[in-house]
């Protein structure tokens, strides 16, 4: 009886594809002035697996919706565009940063606070998800700029 149940289980585990081990590093959500309805999340995504993986969705109970975005330069103007996925290369990383790829967070349900971490769940095309608790950080002026 034990062998009949045990061996098919082992065969299934061996045959099942291994999920990529994706890690989010140095993540944060940008603090904006009270009343600002939208913000963004930034981080480094690292993939330790031998195959690439794609970030395909993001969600948070703190916003009405979250989308994957990038910035494009078109005719001298910088524009944001939604993207379907963000690929994290095999044994590699991708940076989500201001002016580049990022997670756009729309219609904040509450005022952001640096005292309260921001919950964010990332979903990948292999079925894996990462549940994060990101710090909220103020926008720092660019070096060389006077304010």
């Amino acid at each position: 009886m034990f062998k009949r149940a045990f061996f098919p289980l082992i065969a299934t585990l061996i045959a099942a594809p291994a999920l990529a081990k994706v890690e989010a590093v140095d993540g944060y959500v940008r603090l904006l002035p009270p009343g600002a309805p939208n913000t963004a999340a930034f981080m480094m995504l690292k993939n330790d697996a031998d195959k690439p993986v794609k970030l395909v969705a993001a969600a948070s109970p703190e916003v009405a919706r979250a989308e994957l975005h990038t910035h494009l330069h078109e005719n001298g103007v910088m524009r944001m565009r939604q993207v379907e996925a963000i690929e994290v290369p095999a044994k590699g990383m991708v940076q989500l940063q201001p002016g580049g790829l990022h997670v756009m967070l729309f219609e904040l349900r509450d005022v952001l606070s640096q005292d309260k971490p921001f919950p964010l769940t990332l979903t990948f095309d292999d079925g894996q998800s990462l549940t994060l608790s990101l710090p909220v950080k103020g926008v720092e002026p660019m070096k060389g700029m006077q304010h």
Side-chain angles (χ1 to χ4, degrees):
M1 175 74 175
F2 174 75
K3 286 182 183 179
R4 276 190 276 169
F6 182 73
F7 288 118
L9 175 64
I10 293 297
T12 301
L13 291 174
I14 291 172
L19 293 178
K21 184 178 182 276
V22 179
E23 178 183 11
V25 180
D26 297 329
Y28 69 97
V29 170
R30 179 181 282 168
L31 178 66
L32 294 178
N38 308 323
T39 190
F42 309 103
M43 68 203 72
M44 169 78 72
L45 293 174
K46 294 183 176 184
N47 177 8
D48 290 339
D50 294 327
K51 292 185 178 184
V53 64
K54 291 180 182 177
L55 173 62
V56 294
S60 173
E62 299 294 323
V63 295
R65 73 182 193 282
E67 297 177 356
L68 308 177
H69 275 226
T70 191
H71 277 100
L72 302 173
H73 295 277
E74 297 175 342
N75 300 321
V77 178
M78 191 173 219
R79 300 180 189 275
M80 272 195 305
R81 293 284 186 255
Q82 185 176 4
V83 295
E84 289 186 26
I86 297 172
E87 184 168 316
V88 187
K91 301 286 186 193
M93 59 188 87
V94 64
Q95 182 73 46
L96 279 60
Q97 62 189 2
L101 296 166
H102 58 280
V103 177
M104 195 68 201
L105 304 165
F106 292 97
E107 301 174 43
L108 292 164
R109 298 185 200 278
D110 200 0
V111 175
L112 291 175
S113 167
Q114 290 179 301
D115 298 328
K116 181 181 170 193
F118 188 90
L120 184 68
T121 300
L122 305 177
T123 304
F124 297 88
D125 65 344
D126 64 356
Q128 176 182 195
S129 66
L130 281 178
T131 300
L132 307 172
S133 182
L134 299 175
V136 176
K137 294 184 178 181
V139 178
E140 295 182 18
M142 294 177 74
K143 292 180 181 172
M145 302 277 297
Q146 293 183 354
H147 294 274

